Amino acid sequence: MRQGAAEACSTRTITDSLRLMEEVTVGTYLRRGEAEIVRARLAAEGIDARVVADDEGGLNPGFFAEYAVRLVVLASDREAALAVLDPDTQP
């Protein structure tokens, strides 16, 4: 039986919410550009990451300077991400 649009939307929302709960911060940066470079570095290693910044939808790019820009990954990728970001501290 085909799933209805409302049920698909609801399932997607629940899945997205669960994914967000599983994310951890692996770095904080003063500028979004720095975080994007590090995100690309993690992507090159096969680690999905996303940049979280409260810049009011891009309208106020300096707004997040007070709160920092965060780079987050899934909790299951935390150790691998930290190994890429700071290989000298890994055993």
Side-chain angles (χ1 to χ4, degrees), residues 17-64:
S17 296
L18 290 174
R19 183 175 186 272
L20 291 175
M21 290 186 335
E22 296 175 3
E23 290 180 330
V24 295
T25 300
V26 292
T28 57
Y29 305 89
L30 293 177
R31 293 173 201 71
R32 184 181 196 104
E34 292 174 295
E36 291 290 354
I37 289 169
V38 177
R39 186 197 59 73
R41 183 172 169 206
L42 291 176
E45 296 291 331
I47 301 168
D48 288 330
R50 70 183 185 99
V51 174
V52 177
D54 186 5
D55 59 0
E56 298 179 341
L59 296 175
N60 191 359
F63 184 72
F64 55 72

Side-chain angles (χ1 to χ4, degrees), residues 1-4 7:
M1 177 175 222
R2 187 165 181 256
Q3 190 176 32
E7 289 134 353

